[in-house]
Amino acid sequence: VEYLIDQLAEYRKRQKTIDVIIEAQQAVQLGDHNKALSEMGHAVQTILNDATRASNDLNLSSEPLLRWDEYQNVKLRPNGLLGISTGFKTIDEITSGLMKQQLWTIVAPPKTGKSVLALQMAMRAQDENLRVMFQSFEMTADELKTRYDSMRAHISHARRIRGHLHPEEEKRFLESLEEVRSDFWMPDNVEGRTITGLSLKIEKYQPDILFVDGMYLMLDEETGEKESERALRSLTRNMKRVAQRYNIPVVVSTQALRSKMRSGKVTADSIGYTSSFLQDSDIILALQRQDEDDDSSRSLSVAASRISGNGSTDLLWDWEEGRFEEYSAFGNIQSI
């Protein structure tokens, strides 16, 4: 309902903007330029304030000592982060973790491991006792389930899906399944293909963090299109609003185009179809192979950030043992 109310407010603003332009145009045609300017100036202020939701308005003079309590809570956190750990220490050191109302985008060439990286980050959030919702448009829930099992128990994914686990792997698999963990929802990807559908799932499961794998495959309700520049521009804007409305971090993934990569490197400018991911995201994570002929490692970098510097780290990429983790405690960090 909140999403639909926001959409109605946006449509109202759009219609009022059109009405004001028509009125100003009529005044100009009648030669009354001062009236046109006056109407436009008044209307701009009205439109900006119209239907603004007040729930997130902040008065810095109201109970300022609460901010000291917030600081103390951050100071006493075991991981020392402002937000949720990504599971990669170098990335955490650069970004201070995944924070509420932030939109993060993972970008990588096709078949590089965007889904695996997002799943690894989601599992780390679950380890912090947080409720996770993982919506994938690139893989089915059943496909993700077997990957999740393999990564949790550190067993071979190939042997897991074929029922050929070694005895010690079977032991680890069973022990992993017996552990009690917080909720980890993988909704059906058909029902959540639009922002409205996704919002309904969020309302149902109340996650502490949301992952949207393959966001570029979603259908935009405003344009009725998908994978177009207009549709993606609308989707990224609305996904940022989802993070703000539900006060949770949102992590999405999309594809890098090899034709836009610089010297074979993935950058924020490599994102396909539109620049809106860069405009609307707080953090851009770039994932790529270190060697196209070697599938055992990856490079992960903070390619763009509103709140931090950039930097990179090297990852072990091991399907045999289901391990996708940082090689060293610290990678290459660049300050702001």
Side-chain angles (χ1 to χ4, degrees):
V1 171
E2 286 188 356
Y3 169 75
L4 294 175
I5 290 172
D6 284 345
Q7 288 301 299
L8 287 172
E10 286 300 313
Y11 294 146
R12 174 176 167 79
K13 288 181 184 180
R14 183 182 305 169
Q15 188 58 52
K16 289 187 72 173
T17 301
I18 293 171
D19 292 342
V20 167
I21 291 173
I22 292 173
E23 290 176 6
Q25 183 183 28
Q26 290 173 346
V28 169
Q29 289 174 342
L30 294 173
D32 195 343
H33 299 87
N34 288 331
K35 181 181 178 181
L37 290 172
S38 176
E39 288 184 353
M40 289 178 66
H42 176 72
V44 166
Q45 191 59 47
T46 302
I47 290 169
L48 289 175
N49 293 326
D50 188 37
T52 299
R53 300 170 70 90
S55 60
N56 292 323
D57 290 351
L58 181 64
N59 179 3
L60 294 180
S61 297
S62 175
E63 300 183 285
L65 289 178
L66 287 178
R67 300 206 292 280
W68 176 255
D69 295 336
E70 292 174 357
Y71 166 75
Q72 291 295 322
N73 289 334
V74 172
K75 181 179 178 180
L76 296 174
R77 286 180 184 174
N79 60 16
L81 300 175
L82 291 172
I84 302 166
S85 173
T86 64
F88 304 104
K89 192 169 184 178
T90 300
I91 304 301
D92 287 344
E93 286 290 322
I94 297 171
T95 63
S96 295
L98 293 142
M99 295 178 233
K100 292 179 179 180
Q101 300 191 20
Q102 283 188 342
L103 175 63
W104 287 40
T105 295
I106 299 170
V107 58
K111 311 300 182 185
T112 303
K114 298 184 298 296
S115 302
V116 173
L117 178 65
L119 191 56
Q120 186 68 45
M121 292 169 63
M123 287 166 46
R124 182 65 182 86
Q126 188 187 29
D127 288 340
E128 293 191 14
N129 240 3
L130 301 175
R131 299 184 304 275
V132 176
M133 178 171 150
F134 195 101
Q135 177 74 75
S136 179
F137 298 108
E138 293 195 331
M139 303 177 66
T140 67
D142 280 339
E143 289 172 326
L144 283 168
K145 176 181 65 180
T146 58
R147 293 196 177 203
Y148 175 93
D149 289 343
S150 303
M151 294 162 69
R152 269 288 175 214
H154 297 306
I155 58 179
S156 166
H157 181 250
R159 288 194 290 275
R160 157 69 177 91
I161 60 177
R162 291 177 174 82
H164 295 157
L165 291 175
H166 297 155
E168 64 274 15
E169 289 180 310
E170 290 182 344
K171 182 174 182 252
R172 291 202 302 273
F173 183 22
L174 182 58
E175 289 174 349
S176 173
L177 294 175
E178 290 174 340
E179 290 185 33
V180 178
R181 297 189 176 93
S182 58
D183 289 341
F184 194 115
W185 291 98
M186 291 181 175
D188 178 76
N189 63 19
V190 175
E191 294 181 8
R193 196 165 290 277
T194 64
I195 291 290
T196 299
L198 196 65
S199 297
L200 290 173
K201 293 291 186 180
I202 294 172
E203 294 284 353
K204 180 178 180 180
Y205 298 126
Q206 297 292 305
D208 297 306
I209 185 169
L210 169 67
F211 291 82
V212 183
D213 181 35
M215 196 196 87
Y216 64 98
L217 295 173
M218 290 181 68
L219 173 67
D220 174 51
E221 294 159 287
E222 291 185 17
T223 62
E225 301 171 358
K226 65 177 182 178
E227 297 187 63
S228 70
E229 195 275 337
R230 284 199 317 159
L232 289 169
R233 188 171 64 243
S234 173
L235 285 168
T236 57
R237 182 180 66 244
N238 284 318
M239 198 64 75
K240 177 65 176 179
R241 289 176 182 163
V242 166
Q244 294 169 336
R245 182 180 309 116
Y246 295 106
N247 197 31
I248 58 174
V250 175
V251 181
V252 305
S253 71
T254 191
Q255 288 192 349
L257 297 182
R258 296 189 183 278
S259 60
K260 298 177 70 175
M261 292 167 58
R262 300 176 183 172
S263 302
K265 300 292 185 182
V266 178
T267 68
D269 295 326
S270 304
I271 299 175
Y273 314 113
T274 177
S275 62
S276 66
F277 283 99
L278 178 58
Q279 294 165 359
D280 294 323
S281 299
D282 296 281
I283 302 285
I284 301 285
L285 294 181
L287 179 72
Q288 67 180 81
R289 285 184 172 88
Q290 294 178 311
D291 185 337
E292 288 298 325
D293 297 324
D294 182 6
D295 196 39
S296 66
S297 65
R298 298 287 190 276
S299 172
L300 179 64
S301 64
V302 177
S305 171
R306 295 189 198 280
I307 59 172
S308 71
N310 298 340
S312 63
T313 188
D314 297 332
L315 306 182
L316 170 70
W317 210 260
D318 186 357
W319 277 110
E320 182 64 18
E321 293 190 5
R323 292 187 180 276
F324 308 92
E325 56 197 38
E326 202 166 354
Y327 273 116
S328 58
F330 292 92
N332 177 23
I333 300 176
Q334 305 166 20
S335 61
I336 296 176

